[in-house]
Amino acid sequence: MSYNIAIDGPAGAGKSTIAKKIAKKLGYIYVDTGAMYRAMALYLLREQVQPSDTEKINVKCAEADISIGHENGEQIVYLNGENVNDLIRSEKVGNMASASSPNPNVRKKLVELQRRLAASENVVMDGRDIGTCVLPDAQVKVYLTADSRVRAQRRYKELTDKGVSCDLDTIEQDIIERDRKDMTREISPLMQAEDAVLLDSSDKSIDEVVDAVIALVH
Ligand code: DC
């Protein structure tokens, strides 16, 4: 039987950083489910689908074959056989992912893929609905969060380190708005599973959070 660790939480809480480190320490496979929604979004953008055109999303999402592989511990997302890792991190793709991920057909397709992966491998899977919907029987569930100001400061640092000028208050407002959308959508909203352990990373280092999750696994 495979061993599954589910990590959910709002954007910017540090899920992917933490999940990658845990996967490396335990020799598990890291599965970034947000990247799958982003690959689907890239396909929809290429097909010039409007985010509000539910009918067309329903038709087009059936045509997108999304699969994942791994190279040197990194997840590679394939869209109809093409490695799209470098194409899915843009703001444009992120916004389309946010708009198309509430679609039930998109979710059904990607949740099936996520469940297949978790059934055959030990995984650390991060997302929004892993503990509540995708893997309700995961052996360890973590809800990782952090204060919106702290998440905004992390994002601010990331951007300014890259030389991008930005405004901290605006970033925080965007984060609060994204949380609201994720938490209030009809299908699979972001929420803490009843049996998930709440971890707040606001005052913790990455290693402190990783150690806390490893302790739960043990
Ligand atoms: O974590 P991220 O920014 O890469 O996620 C991209 C989008 O996909 C985001 O709008 C939330 C959505 N998502 C989701 O609905 N369910 C998941 N399990 C993961 C991501």
Side-chain angles (χ1 to χ4, degrees):
M1 195 188 76
S2 57
Y3 200 95
N4 297 159
I5 301 173
I7 302 186
D8 291 302
K15 296 186 300 291
S16 63
T17 308
I18 303 296
K20 260 186 222 168
K21 286 204 161 214
I22 294 165
K24 195 165 181 200
K25 278 201 174 189
L26 298 175
Y28 288 14
I29 301 247
Y30 166 55
V31 182
D32 170 1
T33 61
M36 298 176 186
Y37 288 94
R38 285 170 181 268
M40 178 62 83
L42 177 64
Y43 184 73
L44 297 174
L45 283 170
R46 284 177 170 176
E47 293 295 308
Q48 297 176 348
V49 179
Q50 294 303 315
S52 55
D53 193 344
T54 311
E55 290 292 304
K56 203 160 177 198
I57 293 180
N58 286 341
V59 173
K60 288 289 169 188
C61 84
E63 296 169 2
D65 176 32
I66 291 166
S67 59
I68 74 161
H70 287 86
E71 250 172 49
N72 305 321
E74 282 292 314
Q75 172 179 285
I76 316 263
V77 188
Y78 297 96
L79 170 60
N80 294 330
E82 173 192 355
N83 175 345
V84 292
N85 268 28
D86 293 338
L87 305 174
I88 58 174
R89 294 292 154 201
S90 70
E91 209 52 28
K92 195 173 171 195
V93 172
N95 288 338
M96 185 58 166
S98 173
S100 56
S101 59
N103 179 291
N105 289 314
V106 169
R107 297 206 78 79
K108 184 169 180 284
K109 180 163 182 157
L110 297 182
V111 167
E112 275 168 16
L113 168 63
Q114 291 153 16
R115 287 188 179 144
R116 266 202 313 277
L117 287 166
S120 58
E121 308 269 6
N122 295 332
V123 296
V124 184
M125 189 176 282
D126 81 9
R128 305 292 192 285
D129 59 338
I130 312 305
T132 51
C133 163
V134 181
L135 305 176
D137 298 327
Q139 287 86 348
V140 169
K141 294 183 188 177
V142 172
Y143 188 84
L144 184 64
T145 187
D147 187 74
S148 62
R149 193 68 176 176
V150 174
R151 288 185 281 137
Q153 279 161 345
R154 289 175 185 161
R155 181 79 184 132
Y156 178 86
K157 186 175 179 312
E158 247 173 50
L159 290 169
T160 46
D161 283 355
K162 280 191 210 158
V164 180
S165 74
C166 51
D167 174 62
L168 185 59
D169 287 333
T170 310
I171 294 177
E172 187 180 9
Q173 281 317 308
D174 286 351
I175 281 180
I176 291 170
E177 177 54 19
R178 208 165 346 135
D179 289 354
R180 192 194 60 75
K181 269 197 207 149
D182 283 346
M183 289 172 176
T184 57
R185 72 179 178 210
E186 214 163 289
I187 174 169
S188 301
L190 169 64
M191 62 179 193
Q192 184 180 345
E194 266 177 28
D195 51 351
V197 174
L198 175 68
L199 284 179
D200 188 322
S201 71
S202 305
D203 303 314
K204 288 191 178 70
S205 69
I206 291 168
D207 284 338
E208 280 172 329
V209 179
V210 170
D211 289 347
V213 180
I214 301 271
L216 290 173
V217 174
H218 290 321

